[in-house]
Amino acid sequence: MKLLGSCVAALGFAMALAAPAQAQQAPAKPNILLIVSDDTGYGDLGPYGGGEGRGMPTPNIDRLAADGMLFYDFYAQPSCTPGRAAMITGRIPNRSGMTTVAFQGEGGGLPAAEWTLASVLKLGGYDTYFTGKWHLGEADYALPNAQGFDVMRYCGLYHLNAYTYGDPTWFPDMDPKLRAMFQRVTKGALSGKAGEKAVEEFKINGQYVDTPTVNGAPGVVGIPFFDGYVEKAALDFLDAAAKSDKPFFIDVNFMKVHQPNMPAPEFVHKSMSKSKYADSVVELDTRIGRIMDKLRETGLDRNTLVFYTTDNGAWQDVYPDAGYTPFRGTKGTVREGGNRVPAIAVWPGKIKAGSKNHDIVGGLDLMATFASIAGVALPDKDREGQPIIFDSFDMSPVLLGTGKSERTSWFYFTENELSPGAARVGNYKAVFNLRGDDGQPTGGLAVDSNLGWKGPSKYVATVPQVFDLWQDPQERYDIFMNNYTERTWTMVTIGDAIKQLMATYIKYPPRKLQSASYSGPIEISRYQQFQWLRDELNKDGFSIPVPTGN
């Protein structure tokens, strides 16, 4: 009997070894947690030389960097709406029409035809959840619960300033009729499930008040308290997700540290410098830490890719209520200070702890990366059946340490640009749009001039500025043509990259702008040039002649 038992056991072991692969349990798809902050300065965070050195310790963000990969050449777009649109669609903002920050009451928003991170990951069987700042429109079709998210909770539609417009204590000189209009059209925190009408949970204002309900009806929550609700929504979701066997994608968007910075009461004077911005950075760091603690507590961290970044470069020209960057320029310009942002990725067992990366990557690349790790092919048609192109590169080889990014270029745009205002290929960057008066009175070089964000677009006539971002990341020394060295030849590769970009507009024309700032009068001659330009692009493409210097 003992011999027979041994034979049966051996036979069972052999059968198990011979079992087909599909009978074995397939590895679970990874969860994805995306955390986005607002207007956060590159140089304010500990991993980038900030933290205690700037009077605002960031121990939780420091731990993220220690546990994962820190990016040094990660790019966003130069302001909130285009930055968030690029991240969530994987497309440069002028393709979706999401190029400009909109006022409340304008309606519109992210076109229904666009794919988002959420709608693409839904194709892979993911549960999807959104909380916090949206800033991609207020029309029903543009809200998160209509853009691929199963649930949105405490969704804020605008930048923080917008929630003060209807407040008489902030603007007592505003015409009462205009104030009444803002009070009427400004939507507060919205919640809702996919396919359902969004519900306003509470209004948001610029006061230290936390009354989400009043006599059973929606109340008012002040700016200082809003991120607490975003944190709570994220923690509640993770508790529920821990009981599910489906992969999830959660998109957490804190309002901090966009001005006006009003830290929650428990964070007032908790920074070393005791300024409002520094206190708000400490608050942001703490809330990120609590989310990470919940992820570890539930055990979800073992199979979750966590990605942290911010929506645009630092807003330097509202001192002292603004972020710091070591780069030239500010939010709203095509300079590095307006576009290069902090980014950290953590994925236990997949991303090497303490790793650092200098590849050219950016928020545009989240789409291809998340789709890749979820096993989803990017669509070639938009959600209305028309051809679509993505400007997204898969970063998973970078994250996993198996290769470098295939991206070799980055294009910088401001609100109304079809051709980029600046372009980087490799380590060389050409700047065509000198917004901010040649960039000199911006950021740390400014003394109450504020022309970086507010200055007009100002284009070179013939010769762009060229910078070597390896040797000169602050864009101080124009090396296109001078008496020591000249880099006119860089425009061959940069011009070719722009030509290839411009050619894509023929097959994939940009959508109508969802909001637009004033860019000068509409002249008859410009109107007549529109069709001619389209015809010429289709026939001859686009080229930038290289000046000879003679």
Side-chain angles (χ1 to χ4, degrees), residues 116-388:
T116 66
L117 293 172
S119 55
V120 167
L121 290 173
K122 287 296 294 178
L123 300 177
Y126 277 66
D127 284 337
T128 56
Y129 189 92
F130 182 93
T131 183
K133 180 176 178 178
W134 180 240
H135 214 178
L136 295 175
E138 58 186 2
D140 288 345
Y141 66 78
L143 300 180
N145 65 334
Q147 292 283 353
F149 289 96
D150 297 320
V151 178
M152 66 177 185
R153 191 81 196 274
Y154 306 128
C155 174
L157 298 185
Y158 323 106
H159 55 80
L160 280 183
N161 309 74
Y163 294 105
T164 67
Y165 293 162
D167 190 331
T169 62
W170 279 77
F171 303 107
D173 58 333
M174 182 183 290
D175 182 284
K177 292 182 179 178
L178 180 59
R179 180 182 300 121
M181 185 276 289
F182 278 125
Q183 291 174 338
R184 184 178 68 256
V185 302
T186 303
K187 298 178 182 178
L190 300 181
S191 297
K193 296 181 179 179
E196 296 180 359
K197 181 74 174 176
V199 175
E200 188 175 53
E201 298 260 13
F202 48 74
K203 292 290 185 183
I204 304 171
N205 70 8
Q207 303 297 323
Y208 272 85
V209 58
D210 186 17
T211 54
T213 59
V214 176
N215 296 325
V220 180
V221 170
I223 287 171
F225 298 91
F226 182 77
D227 277 354
Y229 288 85
V230 176
E231 176 196 317
K232 179 182 184 302
L235 298 180
D236 288 348
F237 173 84
L238 293 176
D239 276 332
K243 302 171 185 175
S244 171
D245 58 359
K246 290 188 65 177
F248 65 76
F249 167 54
I250 176 173
D251 189 356
V252 181
N253 295 260
F254 288 112
M255 287 284 200
K256 299 288 190 310
V257 284
H258 193 291
Q259 63 96 7
N261 276 295
M262 301 175 68
E266 64 267 34
F267 295 100
V268 172
H269 294 170
K270 289 300 187 288
S271 68
M272 296 159 62
S273 72
K274 306 192 186 312
S275 69
K276 288 184 177 181
Y277 180 83
D279 290 347
S280 296
V281 169
V282 170
E283 177 182 345
L284 170 68
D285 179 80
T286 302
R287 297 195 188 284
I288 290 175
R290 290 171 183 168
I291 291 173
M292 293 304 299
D293 287 345
K294 175 64 70 172
L295 202 66
R296 299 179 191 112
E297 171 194 317
T298 56
L300 291 169
D301 64 308
R302 294 189 291 271
N303 191 37
T304 299
L305 167 61
V306 179
F307 206 101
Y308 162 73
T309 189
T310 189
D311 55 354
N312 48 252
W315 194 347
Q316 296 172 288
D317 58 1
V318 284
Y319 177 85
D321 191 30
Y324 166 74
T325 173
F327 304 115
R328 182 176 181 174
T330 178
K331 169 182 175 178
T333 73
V334 296
R335 300 293 182 177
E336 292 297 286
N339 295 267
R340 206 186 294 198
V341 297
I344 304 170
V346 178
W347 192 1
K350 300 288 187 179
I351 296 176
K352 182 180 178 181
S355 53
K356 297 175 174 59
N357 182 268
H358 292 273
D359 289 6
I360 301 173
V361 288
L364 284 168
D365 299 326
L366 298 182
M367 174 64 84
T369 304
F370 291 177
S372 175
I373 68 171
V376 179
L378 289 180
D380 59 5
K381 297 285 196 306
D382 69 16
R383 294 170 74 190
E384 293 179 350
Q386 298 302 309
I388 192 171

Side-chain angles (χ1 to χ4, degrees), residues 47 104 153 171 264 349 364 383 393 407 432 447 514 537:
Q104 59 265 48
R153 191 81 196 274
F171 303 107
L364 284 168
R383 294 170 74 190
F393 287 80
R407 179 184 290 284
F432 307 98
V447 181
Q514 296 302 299
L537 282 173

